[in-house]
Amino acid sequence: MKKVTVLLCSILLLSLQSCGIYSFTGANTGDAESFQVNFFQNQADLVEPGIDRLFTLSLQDLIQNQTNLSLANENADLIFEGEIVDYYIAPMTSTANNTAAQNRLTIAINVRFYNTLEPEKDFERVFSFYYDYDGSTQLVGGDLETALDEIYTRITQDVFNAALTDW
C-alpha cells in the first residue's frame, strides 16, 4: 500500500511540473522577460486619424494578456516596431445601378520583430486583414470601431503567432 501511495504521489508531482512548461496560447517566450512595442506610424496614402495609436495599444494589450512578459519602454528582450503601410476601401460587389453593394476596408501593417536573445528569430513581414461592410454604410463612428476591432484582432494575433509561437 505504501508503494502505491509513493507511486501515485510521484506521478502527481511529475504531472504538475510538466504543466509549467505548457502554455494555453502556445507562446514560447524563451528566456525573455520584457517586451516593447514602438509606436506604429501611419504611412498609408489614406490617413485615418488615431488608427496608429489604436494598433500600437492593441498589440501591447494582446502580448500582456497572453504572456507573462513585462512591458518596457526601452532595452526590452523582444521588440516590435513598424508602420501602417496600407489603408484603403474598395468596392467588392455592385448593384444594377453601378453603385457598390458591398465595400471592403483593408489594412496592411509592416512589422519588424527583434529578439535580442535569439536574433535568428528576427523578422520583417507585412500583415493584413480586411472588413466587409454594406455599400450604403458610411464607415464612421461605431461602424469604423467595429471594423478596426475585427481587423486589429486578426492582425495582432497573426503577429503574436509569428513572433512567439511555433505554429
Side-chain angles (χ1 to χ4, degrees), residues 26-162:
N28 179 7
T29 58
D31 293 331
E33 295 177 0
S34 61
F35 78 98
Q36 77 185 57
V37 178
N38 295 333
F39 186 72
F40 279 76
Q41 292 191 4
N42 188 353
Q43 296 181 352
D45 291 336
L46 181 60
V47 175
E48 178 66 37
I51 66 170
D52 41 12
R53 182 177 183 279
L54 182 61
F55 178 77
T56 303
L57 294 174
S58 296
L59 185 56
Q60 284 178 350
D61 289 346
L62 178 77
I63 296 168
Q64 280 187 310
N65 291 336
Q66 294 192 12
T67 69
N68 60 353
L69 297 172
S70 300
L71 178 62
N73 291 327
E74 58 186 27
N75 300 324
D77 298 326
L78 307 177
I79 302 167
F80 296 84
E81 65 181 28
E83 51 279 333
I84 298 171
V85 293
D86 248 337
Y87 178 99
Y88 64 91
I89 298 170
M92 294 307 298
T93 58
S94 62
T95 65
N97 299 331
N98 288 332
T99 60
Q102 187 176 33
N103 290 326
R104 174 174 285 179
L105 168 63
T106 303
I107 298 177
I109 301 175
N110 185 51
V111 176
R112 289 178 295 280
F113 169 71
Y114 303 103
N115 184 330
T116 61
L117 304 175
E118 300 177 67
E120 66 276 3
K121 293 186 177 183
D122 294 357
F123 67 80
E124 181 171 1
R125 191 178 313 166
V126 175
F127 296 87
S128 68
F129 200 66
Y130 60 88
Y131 177 80
D132 292 337
Y133 63 98
D134 188 79
S136 63
T137 303
Q138 290 290 325
L139 202 53
V140 294
D143 293 330
L144 179 59
E145 287 179 29
T146 300
L148 292 175
D149 185 50
E150 187 171 316
I151 291 170
Y152 286 170
T153 297
R154 177 63 181 264
I155 292 175
T156 56
Q157 191 63 56
D158 288 348
V159 170
F160 179 85
N161 289 342

Side-chain angles (χ1 to χ4, degrees), residues 10-28:
S10 298
I11 291 172
L12 179 65
L13 181 63
L14 288 174
S15 66
L16 289 175
Q17 282 184 329
S18 65
C19 290
I21 298 170
Y22 180 76
S23 166
F24 289 109
T25 63
N28 179 7

